Amino acid sequence: MIKTAFRKLKNVIKLEIYKITWRKINSHNDTIVRNIFPIGKVSVGKKTYGALQISTYGNPDEKLTIGSYCSIGGEVKFVLGGEHSYKALSTYPFKKHVCGLKENTLTKGPIVLKDDVWIGERCLILSGVTIGQGVVVAAGSIVVKDIPPYAIYADGRIIKYRFSEDIIKRLMKFNFEYLSEETIKNNIDFLYTNLDIQMLDNIFSKNLLH
């Protein structure tokens, strides 16, 4: 009992120290961490917010890149690896659980979230996917394949796009990294206006995002 309690306290302390380290490195965004992971595997852009829960398994190709101005809902989980091979006799990890050896962990590749992505609550994002700029992922979704820019994704499929094809093409010229706090504050009402071609012309003329 005492050993278990001590181990739990030790883990809590380690996590709190890790959170401080994370904040020092990520002062340019508003993310927090829910667990400890190799800090070099994850990068987050400007002003992105949310709690990050990230599973890693030791594969050197595991990586998570999150862009600027992204919104990460509660209980979202990013799984960077842990894939089992299905081409041999069994999918069971015999090396680890029978032989006591290090398992050859697999990953489908990095997870990439482009700028302005909104991930709803309790989503599961698996390795090897790229979520395009401006995408909305509905709460409870499992993402196992790439999602194109400005799509709305739910129930394992794209249900619609946020804007017309013409607007999306023009939006892809924007770089959210250049959007400053001063610009946002000076144009806050403008930024909340429903978007159409005329609004895009105004945005370009104001040089807000490019």
Side-chain angles (χ1 to χ4, degrees), residues 19-188:
K19 286 179 178 180
I20 293 170
T21 302
W22 177 263
R23 287 308 321 142
K24 286 180 179 178
I25 296 173
N26 288 274
S27 58
H28 59 285
N29 61 61
D30 298 313
T31 55
I32 60 173
V33 293
R34 293 294 189 205
N35 67 304
I36 296 174
F37 48 83
I39 209 160
K41 289 181 179 282
V42 181
S43 64
V44 183
K46 185 168 69 174
K47 290 297 177 183
T48 288
Y49 72 90
L52 302 180
Q53 184 176 351
I54 300 168
S55 295
T56 62
Y57 300 86
N59 188 299
D61 294 328
E62 295 172 343
K63 189 171 179 59
L64 170 61
T65 302
I66 301 176
S68 297
Y69 295 96
C70 292
S71 306
I72 311 298
E75 299 183 53
V76 170
K77 187 171 184 179
F78 298 93
V79 180
L80 304 193
E83 296 281 339
H84 291 210
S85 174
Y86 57 85
K87 295 181 179 180
L89 173 67
S90 173
T91 61
Y92 190 83
F94 292 111
K95 285 185 178 180
K96 179 178 180 181
H97 291 284
V98 177
C99 302
L101 302 173
K102 185 177 180 180
E103 191 65 44
N104 297 325
T105 60
L106 302 178
T107 177
K108 291 181 178 176
I111 296 174
V112 179
L113 274 64
K114 300 293 188 177
D115 296 335
D116 188 37
V117 169
W118 173 21
I119 307 291
E121 292 200 7
R122 298 185 179 182
C123 288
L124 179 63
I125 317 297
L126 301 184
S127 66
V129 302
T130 295
I131 300 178
Q133 178 175 308
V135 164
V136 176
V137 180
S141 295
I142 300 175
V143 181
V144 299
K145 59 184 178 181
D146 293 351
I147 305 175
Y150 291 96
I152 298 177
Y153 182 92
D155 296 327
R157 62 189 179 89
I158 297 167
I159 57 173
K160 65 178 181 178
Y161 286 85
R162 289 173 56 191
F163 306 109
S164 69
E165 187 175 343
D166 287 343
I167 290 178
I168 290 173
K169 284 181 179 178
R170 299 189 66 181
L171 283 171
M172 292 305 295
K173 298 177 182 178
F174 292 167
N175 188 337
F176 280 84
E177 189 130 351
Y178 295 147
L179 186 59
S180 67
E181 287 189 49
E182 181 182 4
T183 300
I184 293 170
K185 290 175 181 177
N186 291 339
N187 297 274
I188 191 64

